[in-house]
Amino acid sequence: MELKDRVPESLRNNVLIVKVDELFRWAHANSIWPLSSGLACCAIEMMSTATARFDLSRFGYEVFRPCPRQADLLIVAGTLTYKMADPIVRLYEEMPEPKYVIAMGSCAIVGGPFADSYSVVEGIDEVLPVDVYIPGCPPRPEALIDGMLKLREKIMHPERVAEERAKWAERKKEREAKQA
Amino acid sequence: MKAAAPAKRTETYLLNMGPQHPSTHGVLQVKLTLDGERILKAEPVLGYLHRGIEKLMESRTYVQCLPYTDRLDYISSMNNNFGFAMAVEELANIEVPRRAEFIRVIMAELNRINSHLIGIGTLANDLGASTGMLYCFRDREYILDIFNEVCGARQTFHYIRIGGVSGDFTDKARSLTEAFLERVPKFLAEYDQLLTGNEIFTRRIVGISPMTAQEALDLNMTGPNLRATGVARDLRKLDGYSVYGELDFAIPVGEHGDNWDRYQVKLKEIAESAKIIRQCLDKLPEGDIMAKVPKVLKPPKGEVYSRSEGTRGELGFYIVSDGTTKPYRVHIRRPSFVNMQGLDLMCRGMLIGDSVSAYSSIDPIMGEVDC
Amino acid sequence: MKQRYLTAEELARIKGEFYTVSIDEEERPPIYVSPEEFLPLMKMLKNDHTLSFTHLSCLTAVDWKDTIDVVYYLFSELLGAYVVVKVKTIRNHPEIPSVTSVFPGAEFEEREVYDLMGVRFTGHPDMRRILMPEGFKGHPLRKDFTYKKPAPPKATRVGEIEKEADL
């Protein structure tokens, strides 16, 4: 006897049967709690996204947490300098699994207009595994919303995340070998 | 006889705030030395957003330098563009058309309102009134609509160029600006209801972190932070650069230099800026918006220090030219950076919770502090 | 906008009081002074009631490849004018007296000049780097500054990320 046959006849149209981890992923993908950590210019656009006109809460993502222990998404919004790189790694490590990273703006992707500066890290994927890249300087709030919806798709398909992180780990190993 | 009890003694301890802290406005770190709940010393640790803009500018042409000023103080980009363009124009002897000057002043004042709205909004948010922030950001969007119309960007505009402005002030922009000016008294009244008359809010800021005029002058502070202590120094009046000399506006000042005064000065400056924009719209002449600037700009040898009233105080650009297409040295006198020196004085003797309102009322933007 | 600088008579008066002051006869006349007479000159500029240059507008330094000039722009609301004071320092060992005893608000700016240009200010209350991290080598704004970007920090729990990727 299949599981759905056990449901009483009268309730059959009101019951959905899914796997537990799929249900969990579905819930997670629709209620991401981002860490409210802004580095530079993009942080202002991140704040605008959360406020009245763009209203990120339509998608259930408005619960910005100031503490990394309560957050599951790190939006790196702004230029990462070498001085700030250690704290950002630490913030990432303090976040509980499963966790995701969005690189918002060209500074976070490749260093942006400051790439040839002596103090700027050329892209946060040198430091952290990034799931979604949002180009722009700064990206408009619509772009951030689009990026978060892309992330939703990724959370629903964890095999894609795993594949990309494996590639990232490989790239990191290669880079370290080159530096050594 | 009982043995004498050991003498009670307390020890100071160090509390670290930031660089990741919800109320430090970006990546500011502050080391607080505490005696119980009282702050003995507050030492800001800067540099978490130091991108080396001054060095980068040495390897860019004058025209290429301009976008970097956008990212300096990223919520008052227009004022930064304005300051840098003025410095280069003085160096290269470029005369700006009159229409462009008026458009520049309109944009700079709109940006001042924008910046003060964020300042007030984040102050409210840091003290727990999230509604205040939502209201301020709602009204800010109407200003961004105007910027979007004239230059297509929401934040890093690159609109004020060397020799003029990049696009004309269209009829649509004018109607948007007029509609915004009608909103100004309405939303100011709303803030008065929401925040100014709110007892919880006022108790957190009235009489907190006071500063005398002499202390502020000694620390070279400028902008709303200085005016809140009662010194009516505003470079728009004092220097009368661009067309500010022809316009009629007042300089709002505070009395005690506490957080309340800093908040009030910002609110009143919004009203004054609206007045300036109104006059500019009425006086806006027809004509060119861009002077004839050579494609390859080579200012003569020499140096210039040109300052303007940014949203946070005296914004100065010191440029040394060696006669080539690239500046030999650029130094930016950043008002937030100099004003940060006041933090120690403002926090001293206050409670830990009050340090948060001190950061917010100084209103530093870390992109400008760290450069 | 053209700023007003000190007139020839006013400059001549300053020159009369200090031996080492020399004035470049250009469009914007800076006052060059030796490090020894620098502090007395600043005190006089600030406290003299006919000058009263009470606002230190800008403090910076320029690397001229053989010397490093420290530049001060002072503004007087009384005269509505600037005065530009420059001190030449030896590039290998740049050191001048700190101006914080006259203008307490110069503290951060002097630390910045030390950090980025390597000029030491004697008598400064807290002469440390302000923008670059402690332990950084070199002074970025010097013209001969060369720098190789360091390896970015390693996450200490990198292994876990990789393990997760193996899933």
Side-chain angles (χ1 to χ4, degrees):
Chain A
M1 194 165 86
E2 275 194 55
L3 194 60
K4 69 176 178 202
D5 298 331
R6 292 199 197 167
V7 180
E9 189 70 42
S10 58
L11 289 177
R12 205 156 279 177
N13 290 335
N14 297 320
V15 173
L16 285 171
I17 296 167
V18 289
K19 290 179 191 160
V20 172
D21 44 345
E22 264 177 30
L23 179 69
F24 175 76
R25 280 204 293 270
W26 173 79
H28 184 199
N30 285 296
S31 67
I32 306 171
W33 287 17
L35 180 70
S36 70
S37 137
L39 297 181
C41 331
C42 295
I44 305 289
E45 287 297 68
M46 192 167 82
M47 281 154 78
S48 314
T49 315
T51 49
R53 182 174 294 188
F54 297 95
D55 197 12
L56 196 57
S57 55
R58 284 178 291 165
F59 307 96
Y61 302 154
E62 86 285 14
V63 195
F64 276 90
R65 305 312 295 183
C67 174
R69 305 263 181 215
Q70 300 169 338
D72 53 6
L73 168 65
L74 175 64
I75 303 179
V76 183
T79 322
L80 184 67
T81 60
Y82 281 101
K83 196 170 178 179
M84 190 61 204
D86 283 316
I88 207 101
V89 166
R90 200 168 147 195
L91 280 178
Y92 179 75
E93 285 177 347
E94 278 181 16
M95 282 161 56
E97 298 278 356
K99 54 192 170 187
Y100 303 91
V101 179
I102 287 184
M104 181 182 181
S106 37
C107 291
I109 299 176
V110 288
F114 309 105
D116 53 343
S117 166
Y118 50 86
S119 64
V120 173
V121 180
E122 290 172 46
I124 57 154
D125 66 352
E126 292 206 13
V127 185
L128 306 173
V130 180
D131 295 297
V132 177
Y133 297 87
I134 307 172
C137 190
R140 296 176 77 90
E142 295 94 327
L144 178 61
I145 292 174
D146 186 48
M148 293 190 78
L149 294 179
K150 289 266 184 330
L151 183 68
R152 180 170 75 178
E153 277 168 39
K154 272 191 127 173
I155 296 176
M156 303 280 252
H157 299 93
E159 68 284 351
R160 274 171 60 192
V161 178
E163 196 185 311
E164 279 171 28
R165 288 200 184 169
K167 275 186 199 158
W168 177 82
E170 227 166 78
R171 279 205 307 274
K172 192 173 169 71
K173 250 182 220 158
E174 270 172 33
R175 212 168 26 230
E176 278 169 8
K178 214 183 271 175
Q179 269 160 1
Chain B
M1 281 265 302
K2 273 195 282 183
K8 274 186 192 156
R9 70 192 184 94
T10 57
E11 276 182 14
T12 62
Y13 66 103
L14 201 73
L15 181 74
N16 187 40
M17 285 181 94
Q20 156 62 21
H21 189 278
S23 65
T24 54
H25 292 219
V27 287
L28 170 67
Q29 185 191 348
V30 184
K31 282 183 190 162
L32 298 172
T33 311
L34 300 170
D35 178 15
E37 278 272 312
R38 295 271 163 204
I39 300 169
L40 297 179
K41 189 170 176 256
E43 187 201 346
V45 181
L46 311 174
Y48 286 100
L49 194 54
H50 175 66
R51 296 158 293 186
I53 290 182
E54 290 177 5
K55 182 81 175 176
L56 288 172
M57 280 183 171
E58 288 174 14
S59 55
R60 307 286 195 274
T61 64
Y62 287 93
V63 179
Q64 287 171 337
C65 283
L66 208 50
Y68 286 96
T69 61
D70 279 325
R71 285 145 187 90
L72 196 66
D73 173 354
Y74 34 78
I75 58 177
S76 41
S77 304
M78 287 286 186
N79 299 63
N80 298 349
N81 286 168
F82 197 1
F84 187 77
M86 280 206 311
V88 178
E89 281 151 12
E90 192 183 332
L91 196 62
N93 279 320
I94 297 168
E95 198 66 41
V96 182
R98 226 175 124 66
R99 183 178 171 83
E101 290 279 21
F102 275 97
I103 298 175
R104 282 175 172 198
V105 170
I106 293 173
M107 291 304 149
E109 292 308 316
L110 281 172
N111 213 155
R112 194 182 308 278
I113 298 179
N114 173 3
S115 164
H116 284 344
L117 283 178
I118 293 187
I120 293 167
T122 44
L123 172 67
N125 190 39
D126 289 346
L127 298 181
S130 316
T131 325
M133 179 172 148
L134 289 173
Y135 274 66
C136 289
F137 270 70
R138 177 201 66 189
D139 299 322
R140 173 179 175 262
E141 291 291 338
Y142 294 98
I143 305 176
L144 298 187
D145 282 344
I146 304 168
F147 292 156
N148 210 349
E149 169 60 24
V150 296
C151 68
R154 277 169 57 86
Q155 200 172 353
T156 45
F157 311 110
H158 193 202
Y159 174 63
I160 297 176
R161 304 275 170 93
I162 297 164
V165 292
S166 71
D168 204 355
F169 190 70
T170 55
D171 288 341
K172 191 180 170 203
R174 178 187 270 272
S175 62
L176 283 172
T177 314
E178 276 174 4
F180 174 72
L181 289 183
E182 271 170 34
R183 288 185 65 86
V184 172
K186 284 183 204 151
F187 70 64
L188 285 180
E190 226 168 26
Y191 299 160
D192 274 345
Q193 280 181 344
L194 259 178
L195 300 171
T196 316
N198 182 333
E199 198 178 334
I200 306 171
F201 185 72
T202 49
R203 280 209 186 177
R204 290 289 304 271
I205 61 173
V206 175
I208 305 292
S209 308
M211 190 175 231
T212 65
Q214 194 53 46
E215 283 166 344
L217 286 171
D218 276 348
L219 290 172
N220 279 348
M221 289 174 90
T222 45
N225 288 317
L226 174 67
R227 292 195 281 276
T229 63
V231 183
R233 182 191 282 172
D234 190 320
L235 299 183
R236 289 174 292 173
K237 268 267 197 285
L238 191 64
D239 288 0
Y241 60 90
S242 191
V243 290
Y244 280 115
E246 305 167 23
L247 303 171
D248 171 42
F249 60 96
I251 308 173
V253 289
E255 207 176 323
H256 309 291
D258 56 356
N259 289 342
W260 170 257
D261 277 342
R262 283 184 276 272
Y263 162 71
Q264 282 289 316
V265 163
K266 276 182 201 137
L267 271 186
K268 286 176 190 155
E269 274 188 16
I270 290 178
E272 290 302 320
S273 292
K275 227 163 92 186
I276 296 176
I277 299 166
R278 182 73 263 168
Q279 294 171 42
C280 286
L281 284 180
D282 294 341
K283 288 186 178 176
L284 188 66
E286 291 297 318
D288 287 338
I289 52 162
M290 196 74 184
K292 281 204 169 54
V293 181
K295 279 260 156 30
V296 181
L297 187 64
K298 277 189 184 175
K301 254 187 185 179
E303 62 173 55
V304 66
Y305 174 71
S306 163
R307 59 181 191 173
S308 60
E309 183 73 26
T311 48
R312 282 166 184 73
E314 177 181 341
L315 176 74
F317 286 92
Y318 172 74
I319 306 178
V320 181
S321 159
D322 57 351
T324 59
T325 54
K326 293 170 186 167
Y328 185 78
R329 169 93 170 87
V330 181
H331 173 73
I332 307 157
R333 193 247 191 232
R334 291 104 62 196
S336 295
F337 177 67
V338 181
N339 289 352
M340 275 314 274
Q341 294 176 121
L343 184 67
D344 184 25
L345 202 98
M346 284 163 70
C347 287
R348 214 173 278 170
M350 296 291 145
L351 298 170
I352 302 177
D354 297 333
S355 69
V356 169
S357 55
Y359 307 147
S360 301
S361 68
I362 289 187
D363 198 13
I365 288 298
M366 294 320 285
E368 189 177 64
V369 175
D370 293 343
C371 183
Chain C
M1 195 200 117
K2 284 267 180 266
Q3 299 287 359
R4 194 174 97 74
Y5 293 85
L6 276 190
T7 58
E9 296 95 68
E10 286 160 331
L11 284 171
R13 214 193 105 209
I14 295 167
K15 206 175 168 181
E17 284 188 33
F18 296 93
Y19 296 110
T20 58
V21 164
S22 65
I23 291 158
D24 217 339
E25 298 298 334
E26 279 177 47
E27 195 192 349
R28 295 183 187 84
I31 299 176
Y32 284 97
V33 68
S34 73
E36 292 78 41
E37 273 198 336
F38 167 65
L39 265 190
L41 172 72
M42 292 300 253
K43 263 185 206 141
M44 178 253 186
L45 287 173
K46 187 184 178 186
N47 299 331
D48 190 306
H49 57 90
T50 57
L51 298 171
S52 92
F53 284 95
T54 48
H55 180 61
L56 176 64
S57 232
C58 171
L59 193 172
T60 184
V62 185
D63 181 8
W64 288 109
K65 289 183 182 140
D66 44 351
T67 57
I68 290 178
D69 286 10
V70 185
V71 183
Y72 299 81
Y73 271 74
L74 306 179
F75 183 75
S76 157
E77 234 171 289
L78 185 74
L79 303 174
Y82 284 105
V83 65
V84 190
V85 179
K86 292 191 181 182
V87 191
K88 279 192 189 298
T89 60
I90 317 152
R91 198 164 184 284
N92 295 333
H93 188 64
E95 202 173 75
I96 66 164
S98 165
V99 80
T100 43
S101 55
V102 191
F103 295 99
E107 189 183 331
F108 274 22
E109 284 174 300
E110 283 188 351
R111 274 177 74 184
E112 191 198 11
V113 170
Y114 165 67
D115 189 355
L116 302 179
M117 202 61 105
V119 180
R120 283 204 152 271
F121 292 89
T122 49
H124 188 281
D126 187 17
M127 193 86 271
R128 280 181 300 136
R129 284 188 182 275
I130 187 166
L131 295 176
M132 302 308 293
E134 301 273 322
F136 184 82
K137 287 213 170 54
H139 302 285
L141 280 179
R142 289 202 178 188
K143 289 284 170 186
D144 57 356
F145 173 76
T146 51
Y147 186 62
K148 193 171 159 283
K149 284 203 175 189
K154 287 186 185 113
T156 47
R157 285 167 58 201
V158 147
E160 285 197 24
I161 299 168
E162 281 165 36
K163 221 187 321 166
E164 191 186 82
D166 291 340
L167 283 174

